[in-house]
């Protein structure tokens, strides 16, 4: 038996996750993963620490093959065993987490949608050229007031979404039987993906469709009213995309917290992602500048910038989802 297999076996016998073992060894979870897959070998100090933690000799860890002695699993006293969360608490947590996720998603969506109120009312005021200036001012003020009301509602919903999760605050700090929870929630997680993955796809489609507004604005030949309508449409579409995406990601995060499992990019890929992001951002700004200076005036450089941001967000999500460990 190789060292990585021994570490994996001993970790599972002691009911530890990779993250829990990493915390005890003061290393990253990626390092534990590499140990267990034999991509790297612990140094001498870590070998000693592992032997003390698991109650085995360093010879057993370092020598290949089966041990010359039997590894006995010591019965853990009932009072020392990690508790299993009650079904009622898990179901209540999941239902409350879903509600909180939807409220937070709605909060951000409303905040993004709020400028659309001013855009549409300003456009309406521009269309009604036959009415008096006073009526036009009233229409604009209605749009402004609607924006303030929408933002106020968003703030209230955000505060409420945090308040309803207060009773589960200790779950993040409490130690419980992670393996049992993973087995019990396996079908729940599969059901979540089966039900909600389509909403993530919908958010991607809406994010790309949001470019309709900047394109309309660029082709409107400096028509202020059309431009206002175009940006109102953009804010509306993008707020829908944000709602579905945040709701999906937030619910998935709550599920991950329940099984104490979080993914992280390896250090080399993290550096690549950060440096690549800066290069990409400067590249988009450069393209935006070139388009605004050298392409015909009726083309909006904002369209290029917006599309670049959407592509970056989608690429970042899929890159982290695939490469995180």
């Amino acid at each position: 038996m190789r060292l990585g297999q021994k570490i994996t076996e001993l970790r599972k016998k002691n009911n530890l996750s990779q993250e829990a073992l990493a915390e005890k060894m003061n290393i990253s979870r990626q390092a534990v993963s590499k140990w267990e897959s034999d991509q790297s070998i612990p140094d001498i100090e870590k070998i000693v620490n592992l032997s003390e933690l698991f109650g085995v000799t360093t010879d057993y860890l370092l020598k290949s093959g089966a041990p010359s002695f039997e590894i006995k699993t010591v019965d853990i006293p009932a009072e020392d065993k990690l508790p299993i969360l009650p079904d009622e608490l898990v179901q209540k947590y999941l239902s409350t987490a879903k509600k909180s996720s939807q409220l937070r998603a709605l909060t951000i969506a409303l905040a993004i949608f709020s400028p659309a109120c001013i855009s549409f009312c300003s456009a309406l005021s521009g269309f009604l050229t036959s009415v008096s200036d006073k009526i036009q001012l009233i229409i604009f003020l209605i749009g402004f007031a609607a924006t303030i009301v929408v933002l106020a509602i968003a703030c209230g919903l955000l505060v409420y979404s945090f308040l309803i999760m207060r009773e589960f605050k200790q779950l993040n700090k409490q130690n419980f039987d992670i393996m049992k929870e993973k087995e019990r929630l396996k079908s729940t997680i599969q059901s979540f993906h089966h039900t909600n993955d389509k909403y993530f796809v919908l958010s991607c489609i809406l994010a790309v469709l949001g470019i309709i507004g900047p394109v309309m604005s660029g082709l409107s030949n400096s028509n202020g009213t059309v431009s206002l309508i175009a940006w109102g449409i953009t804010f509306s579409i993008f707020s829908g995309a944000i709602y579905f995406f945040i709701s999906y990601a937030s619910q998935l995060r709550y599920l991950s917290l329940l099984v104490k499992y979080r993914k992280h990019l390896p250090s080399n890929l993290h550096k690549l992602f950060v440096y690549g992001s800066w290069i990409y951002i400067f590249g988009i700004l450069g393209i935006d500048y070139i388009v605004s200076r050298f392409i015909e005036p009726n083309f909006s450089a904002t369209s290029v910038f917006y599309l670049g941001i959407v592509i970056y967000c989608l690429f970042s999500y899929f890159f982290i989802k695939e490469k995180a460990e």
Side-chain angles (χ1 to χ4, degrees):
M1 187 184 297
R2 300 177 66 87
L3 175 60
Q5 294 174 306
K6 293 177 182 178
I7 294 175
T8 303
E9 181 182 319
L10 290 168
R11 175 178 62 78
K12 290 181 178 179
K13 282 187 176 181
N14 284 268
N15 197 30
L16 291 172
S17 64
Q18 287 186 345
E19 203 167 57
L21 177 58
E23 185 177 344
K24 290 180 179 293
M25 301 299 295
N26 197 26
I27 56 174
S28 66
R29 193 193 70 82
Q30 288 80 4
V32 174
S33 177
K34 289 181 179 179
W35 289 352
E36 296 185 353
S37 59
D38 291 315
Q39 296 180 31
S40 66
I41 300 175
D43 57 33
I44 296 300
E45 181 183 354
K46 297 301 182 187
I47 290 289
V48 173
N49 292 340
L50 286 169
S51 68
E52 292 176 352
L53 176 65
F54 295 137
V56 297
T57 64
T58 54
D59 284 345
Y60 166 67
L61 292 173
L62 294 172
K63 290 181 179 179
S64 59
S68 58
F69 54 89
E70 182 183 359
I71 301 175
K72 295 182 178 180
T73 304
V74 180
D75 291 334
I76 303 174
E79 62 271 14
D80 293 336
K81 287 185 178 180
L82 292 175
I84 299 175
L85 296 177
D87 288 335
E88 297 80 7
L89 178 61
V90 172
Q91 293 304 319
K92 185 178 180 181
Y93 171 82
L94 292 175
S95 62
T96 308
K98 180 179 180 180
K99 183 178 180 181
S100 176
S101 299
Q102 292 173 340
L103 288 174
R104 294 183 191 184
L106 182 59
T107 294
I108 300 174
L110 287 175
I112 293 174
F113 174 76
S114 59
C117 299
I118 293 181
S119 295
F120 287 135
C121 287
S122 299
L124 178 61
S125 143
F127 273 124
L128 301 176
T129 53
S130 57
V131 300
S132 64
D133 292 342
K134 186 176 181 181
I135 299 297
Q136 290 182 341
L137 178 61
I138 291 174
I139 293 174
F140 174 79
L141 291 176
I142 290 174
F144 181 77
T147 301
I148 300 300
V149 170
V150 169
L151 288 175
I153 293 174
C155 290
L157 291 177
L158 181 63
V159 172
Y160 179 65
S161 70
F162 282 104
L163 290 177
I164 61 176
M165 292 299 296
R166 282 187 305 175
E167 61 180 302
F168 306 105
K169 188 176 181 180
Q170 293 302 319
L171 282 181
N172 294 334
K173 303 176 181 178
Q174 180 181 351
N175 290 322
F176 47 84
D177 195 329
I178 298 174
M179 301 304 295
K180 294 290 185 182
E181 292 304 321
K182 284 185 177 180
E183 292 176 9
R184 185 166 57 170
L185 291 174
K186 185 177 180 180
S187 60
T188 302
I189 294 173
Q190 290 176 344
S191 175
F192 168 81
H193 284 292
H194 179 73
T195 306
N196 294 279
D197 280 357
K198 60 179 177 288
Y199 294 117
F200 172 71
V201 175
L202 179 59
S203 72
C204 296
I205 295 173
L206 290 175
V208 175
L209 288 177
I211 198 175
I212 292 174
V215 171
M216 287 176 58
S217 178
L219 299 177
S220 63
N221 296 322
S222 301
N223 187 321
T225 302
V226 174
S227 181
L228 287 169
I229 294 175
W231 280 107
I233 292 173
T234 295
F235 288 129
S236 301
I237 294 176
F238 199 61
S239 64
I242 287 294
Y243 172 79
F244 289 118
F245 177 77
I246 297 296
S247 178
Y248 175 88
S250 185
Q251 289 184 65
L252 194 59
R253 173 179 170 271
Y254 279 125
L255 278 174
S256 300
L257 287 176
L258 194 58
V259 295
K260 306 287 186 182
Y261 180 67
R262 296 182 184 179
K263 288 187 173 184
H264 305 276
L265 279 177
S267 57
N268 59 331
L269 290 180
H270 183 266
K271 290 180 181 178
L272 177 64
F273 178 74
V274 172
Y275 294 145
S277 297
W278 280 109
I279 293 172
Y280 181 83
I281 289 171
F282 282 117
I284 288 296
L285 292 175
I287 294 173
D288 183 71
Y289 175 78
I290 292 172
V291 169
S292 63
R293 288 293 301 272
F294 302 107
I295 304 297
E296 58 266 23
N298 66 338
F299 186 86
S300 174
T302 309
S303 304
V304 176
F305 183 77
Y306 176 85
L307 184 59
I309 294 299
V310 171
I311 292 174
Y312 173 78
C313 293
L314 294 177
F315 172 80
S316 298
Y317 176 81
F318 287 111
F319 178 80
I320 294 173
K321 182 179 176 65
E322 291 298 323
K323 300 297 183 182
E325 298 177 351

